[in-house]
Amino acid sequence: MNKELYSQFYKTMFKIRTFEKRIEEFSMKGEVPGFVHLYIGEEAIATGVCANLTKNDYIQSTHRGHGHTIAKGAKVDKMMAELFGKRTGYCKGKGGSMHIADFSVGMLGANGIVGGGFTLATGAALAEKIKGTNNVSVVFFGDGASNRGTFHEALNMASVWKLPVVFVCENNEWASTTPYLTTTSVKDISDRAVGYGIPGVIVDGNDVEKVYEESAKAIERARKGEGPSIVEMKTYRIKGHFVGDPEMYRTKDEVKERFELTDPIRRFKEKVLLEGVLSENEINKMEEEIIKEIDDAVKFAMESPFPSEEELFEDLYVD
Amino acid sequence: MNKELYSQFYKTMFKIRTFEKRIEEFSMKGEVPGFVHLYIGEEAIATGVCANLTKNDYIQSTHRGHGHTIAKGAKVDKMMAELFGKRTGYCKGKGGSMHIADFSVGMLGANGIVGGGFTLATGAALAEKIKGTNNVSVVFFGDGASNRGTFHEALNMASVWKLPVVFVCENNEWASTTPYLTTTSVKDISDRAVGYGIPGVIVDGNDVEKVYEESAKAIERARKGEGPSIVEMKTYRIKGHFVGDPEMYRTKDEVKERFELTDPIRRFKEKVLLEGVLSENEINKMEEEIIKEIDDAVKFAMESPFPSEEELFEDLYVD
Amino acid sequence: MREITFAEATLEAMKEEMEKDDTIFIMGEDLARQGGIFGQFKGLPEMFGTERIIDSPISETAIVGAVIGAALAGMRPIADMHFADFMGITMDEIFNQMAKIRYMFGGQTIVPMVIRAPDGLIRSGAAQHSQSIEAWFNGIPGIKVVAPSNPADAKGLLKAAIQSDDPVIFFENKDLYRQSGEVPEDENLIVPIGKAKVVKEGNDVTIVSYSIMMKKALEASEILEKEGYSVEVVDLITLSPFDEETVIESVKKTHRLLIAHEAVKRGGLGGEIAAVIAEKAIDYLDAPIIRVGAKFTPVPFSPTLENAYRPKTIDIVNGIKSMF
Amino acid sequence: MREITFAEATLEAMKEEMEKDDTIFIMGEDLARQGGIFGQFKGLPEMFGTERIIDSPISETAIVGAVIGAALAGMRPIADMHFADFMGITMDEIFNQMAKIRYMFGGQTIVPMVIRAPDGLIRSGAAQHSQSIEAWFNGIPGIKVVAPSNPADAKGLLKAAIQSDDPVIFFENKDLYRQSGEVPEDENLIVPIGKAKVVKEGNDVTIVSYSIMMKKALEASEILEKEGYSVEVVDLITLSPFDEETVIESVKKTHRLLIAHEAVKRGGLGGEIAAVIAEKAIDYLDAPIIRVGAKFTPVPFSPTLENAYRPKTIDIVNGIKSMF
Ligand SMILES: Cc1ncc(C[n+]2csc(CCOP(=O)(O)OP(=O)(O)O)c2C)c(N)n1
Ligand SMILES: Cc1ncc(C[n+]2csc(CCOP(=O)(O)OP(=O)(O)O)c2C)c(N)n1
Ligand SMILES: [Mg+2]
Ligand SMILES: [Mg+2]
């Protein structure tokens, strides 16, 4: 086992969890404005997938995008500032949670339009193919998003042209208030790969090692010019759809049970401790550092100024 | 073998062919205005499928819709008049070839938008399900149309709700100037059925008996409330994409060879004669009657008046 | 009179109509377990069952397409767009199918359906969840577009939309849902499509507005009345085709016109209204026609920027003062 | 000067730009084997290969979406819409992604891409193949919209659009493709985006028009000149954001304004232009602002109806005469 890689897994997952918990708190208090969708419980996916990517690779994210952004290498201070609506944020306060992006690390944006990222990621992959690089593009999408027409058009196009794009489904069983099986024609969304003549695999999305290994195969395939794949990560949405969701549609017990069984961070921690890859001490140190980093980010965000009214007209047109 | 059914097959196919040939002639001369897409060579599909339908069932057609319209039971005189742009036509001259419809027989319209019919047919099926009838809805679509996002959204929806709708693919190998394999991720579009957990079958679309039998199964399944199917009819587009198409993208020889091999009318005629289901005489009589019917339709269309300018504002709003 | 919220008023409209007519059904996302994202369908699933209050996949194209198809098959369906911002996804179905089917098929069918579209700013909803796009539909023949500004109109107008044999887009501002107002207890309350309403009479200037901006229009009129201006306020109610007669009559009386909407000023509905007046009643005008609307940028996220973006009461006040 | 067709002029523009810049590629339906449905891409596949002239599936959403994604990844792509009528399918990509990406991400990226959209009436193309929908985009901040009326402008404007770092929608009227006109043999021919052009000077009335209607505007001006009216004709060229200054200057001189476009009058771009003038230059007006556009119906199929629908030279002539 690779200690460095495993440390990275732990750090990234823990950073996402810690970030999200603070954001939840500030969103509840109204200090983080707008709609906020948390990635808690799904950290293993972004972490495992992005560990296979370089800054030259692209990702397209979703409305639930903080985890992807952190995993792709964005800085939590500029993220936090953006979520607080401050001018020091990644998007100068113009984007917010649903439109967070860091182009400098290949994170091409969260998206408030469910299923909006499929075709964009496909286009980024097409660009790399035309340029002749071996960079890849990854699009994260939910079970709900898999029923958008964009899914179909992008997969068909990517398959016919053998584009270097990987379709990572985060099947967390819920689309907002709707259990996915009531609106989705297949239990395993990866089955749809058949219609595009490409591989479709199912992965335990709460096991960061499995996520890493299986996405590595799909990414490698894409890099080699063999075309796209669907990698379906089975997970569960632990939190309400958005911060403030009354969650009338399911019981607290259901959620608790699932979280206890599946929490990817707890599982990973137990495993690495048991197998002696990381020590209790090492883990504590990582956690402390991350907590400090997030605290600093919060401080940065809170102390940063809001944009001034004149900034409204900036960044609209180039010419 | 059922003589009446076979006579009906022959009559319908021959009527479509004859209609199309006359339309081709008038379109070339400029007497039929607008874009015209011919169904020549694909007659067995509409004929075989619609032979399983009643007037209470619905069809959604395409830009290549004359064959579907005739097979569903529309009158050729009102069709002809519509294509000529006359006020006596089905749509009072407002629709034309790409927007021909006969709601009185459940033909809900041709569509100038490729892939526009999938969701409409699904909705008509939903209506019948809510009403509790056992009527079904059939949507015809091309290989090209199968790459529209609407295909995916409609199939998913129809499958989840087990709607009585049948998706009939007319895979004629071409989408306008584009060979379907260069833009479509699967050789057999029926493979996509896997992604919706429904049956997908391949049929020789130039064999009217096979078309009839296989679509009967899918339609029956839909009537019984067991949900949608994809029935893929393999055929070939004999004519240019539209009347006037210079067809620079394929050789005359390719077309000739395919037509000789596949012409559904010639094949069917040889077979029924050989097997003695119909006699040469009977067939001649049918042909004569149909030619007369089409001649009368042409006469009706030509003698009918164009709409007057005041009719422009009619039929826009009800209230 | 009793007061109920805008959301409740629309609920009553649907309930009353659905009880009378079982061809009405509703399709949209998150209806069954949540009663709609703003609670505007609450209770209906229990009342009418999930066969008539249908939770759809995230397939906006199929939602509108299926609703059109169902209308062709004799139903009178309602589609919920969740956010009006998602209508781009289904624009082809709206403008190439829904709007044209009756006409291009020569009147063979009716297309009786309603699209409910929650629009407008919501605290930091940002670029893709805050828009007002009603102007797009103004140039599309075959559609009717309405936008109530208060609970009573919401109820009467939604009932009229459901009863209409023409397709109707019903824009409802998200910030209006919780606002209360008097609504008569009348099962036959209908607000006719196509008619604007003079909600306040005045002589010096006409404000034409609709939906959420009506509040600011009325606020502005109060401020201005105190300063001695007599302000007439017209609630457009039907946005397309709009009631030219009522607007023209008002302008002929007041000789001044300001149009206010929350949508971006440029390309907004105000342009159409101004143009109609500049064509048909220019001789009555004593001042420029002023339009008040949002700034020409996507909706920004940060509260300070969102505030700079948003059209305000003071913009109306200043606009009118500049006319004198 | 040599004469070439409008289609050829756009071909030259693409060819010249593609030779200079290998990040440019083109995606659309039926490009590779047919050179585009109107031949406006003919020869390019042979010249640049099918890696840069890409035949796409019938997936308009993916065409525009992929082109946006490619632009984010450093390319300068061009998408062909086949018919502008199909833009409804991809409206979400256009207005929620393409138009907003630069702004909502705080200027982190540029989105340099062009959407070519053949629009307008074509003999009996009927309801879904004949439309002019440029007004939709006027209220969408973040997009530029242009529409040339002749071969020289087509070339210079397409080059400017390709070179622009902002997303540009290039409307090209289908009936213009075969029209010939003088085009200078100049590789650096650029028609700047954002500038209107006074193509004919006059003193009594201003006609503002663009695209195919420019022909009728000029025809009308000739008829009117013979009857003693001095007519100024402005070609808008950039539709959004349009060149207010040039239009205002002209109206200040002539005191009369008629706006003509092939799109449906109601909800058309004419409304915006009229509104700007009614706000900023009303004191200069000596007559109503008249808009000429198509009738408020879907485009009918039959030649007689299509003719009744279509805006005509005589409508411009009569509109102007009514001002005096
Ligand atoms: C096109 C579109 N339709 C609907 C919505 C509203 N919406 C936001 S998130 C969501 C559920 C998404 O479910 P899924 O794709 O499974 O992602 P998850 O939230 O589970 O991560 C919905 C319906 C939207 N933002 N965009
Ligand atoms: C949405 C849309 N995109 C493109 C077109 C232009 N177009 C008309 S027919 C056609 C090819 C359709 O191919 P297919 O679906 O296989 O049907 P076929 O013509 O072979 O019967 C195309 C691209 C259109 N009418 N609508
Ligand atoms: Mg989900
Ligand atoms: Mg085909």
Side-chain angles (χ1 to χ4, degrees), chain B residues 63-64 112-114 142-145 148 172 174-176 241, chain D residues 29-30 58 60 82 86 89 129:
Chain B
H63 55 287
R64 199 177 298 290
I113 301 297
V114 169
D143 45 283
R148 282 281 324 274
N172 62 9
W174 290 92
S176 191
H241 173 55
Chain D
E29 292 157 22
D30 299 306
I58 305 181
E60 283 76 10
H82 222 70
F86 307 155
I89 296 171
H129 286 73

Side-chain angles (χ1 to χ4, degrees), chain A residues 85 93 99 112 147 177-178 307 316, chain C residues 30 33 59 128-129 296 302 304:
Chain A
H99 311 294
N147 297 324
T177 68
T178 308
L316 182 53
Chain C
D30 299 304
R33 289 169 190 79
S59 303
Q128 296 167 337
H129 285 74
F296 193 64
S302 185
T304 52

